[in-house]
Amino acid sequence: MIIYLHGFRSGPASSKIQELAGHMKARGLADQLWCEQLSPVPFEAIAQAEAAIAACATPPTLVGSSLGGFYATHLAEKHDLRAVLVNPAVFRDGYDPSPFVGEHEHLYTGERFSFTWEHVEQAEALRVERISHPQNFWLMVEEGDEVLDARLSIAHFAGARQTVLPGGDHGFSRWTEYLDEVLRFAGLI
């Protein structure tokens, strides 16, 4: 089973999720993907993912993009799960969260939501300072990410499997090239 955790302002209609879902459907694995709209409240999003993990008969593989990668890191460390992290958010000391505080709109639903300083505190409480099981992680970053600094992820996930590609963008433009490998990492093919 793959549990996909989307990024901030994103959702199940994002192109990465749709491409993965289509690929899995073509391989007869449509029932092996969970992805729901996550709450913008960090503790609520984690609770949603925890419920999905608990419902799995066998340990799932997490796939997280951007903020979803941050959540996947927390959950993979907590539950000793494998995780594919696609241009993940890595909130290190000195990171300024203020641009995210305020009113936002979901990219795919148009729904408006507030992200508050209390939500920032919740996210900071989920931060993993040091990866204790790097063998569980596969970091996928494109150095051209215009939103997050790929160097922070590369350093944070030292010792993990890493696919670091020049150019690209925050959406990870070469995602479809890696779909079979993601399924292999998850043990589905």
Side-chain angles (χ1 to χ4, degrees), residues 6 70 72 165:
H6 63 74
F70 175 79
L165 303 171

Side-chain angles (χ1 to χ4, degrees), residues 7-187:
F8 190 71
R9 297 181 51 226
S10 191
S14 79
S15 61
K16 279 193 296 300
I17 297 168
Q18 291 303 304
E19 290 160 351
L20 179 60
H23 192 73
M24 291 179 71
K25 182 178 180 182
R27 288 185 151 279
L29 298 169
D31 63 339
Q32 296 297 306
L33 176 64
W34 179 95
C35 181
E36 292 186 6
Q37 184 69 50
L38 297 175
S39 169
V41 178
F43 285 174
E44 291 176 8
I46 291 296
Q48 288 174 269
E50 293 267 14
I53 292 167
C56 292
T58 59
T61 295
L62 306 174
V63 176
S65 176
S66 193
L67 181 60
F70 175 79
Y71 291 155
T73 301
H74 167 80
L75 291 164
E77 282 286 297
K78 180 178 179 182
H79 297 287
D80 193 23
L81 298 173
R82 293 169 62 88
V84 177
L85 311 172
V86 184
N87 285 336
V90 176
F91 303 122
R92 304 302 300 160
D93 291 336
Y95 175 78
D96 178 15
S98 61
F100 297 100
V101 175
E103 292 293 316
H104 300 278
E105 184 175 303
H106 284 289
L107 296 172
Y108 301 97
T109 67
E111 179 185 345
R112 302 217 30 98
F113 68 95
S114 294
F115 195 78
T116 68
W117 284 105
E118 179 183 346
H119 298 147
V120 170
E121 290 173 11
Q122 288 181 20
E124 288 176 351
L126 300 170
R127 186 167 63 182
V128 174
E129 293 295 331
R130 189 180 66 77
I131 303 303
S132 58
H133 302 290
Q135 70 279 5
N136 286 348
F137 293 93
W138 177 14
L139 175 68
M140 300 175 71
V141 295
E142 289 184 324
E143 295 173 317
D145 186 335
E146 71 282 6
V147 176
L148 300 171
D149 186 343
R151 295 171 298 183
L152 293 176
S153 296
I154 293 165
H156 188 64
F157 292 97
R161 175 179 176 178
Q162 295 192 3
T163 299
V164 180
L165 303 171
D169 55 36
H170 187 61
F172 199 85
S173 62
R174 289 164 273 196
W175 173 241
T176 57
E177 297 172 28
Y178 290 91
L179 295 180
D180 272 342
E181 191 59 32
V182 168
L183 298 183
R184 274 192 282 281
F185 186 82

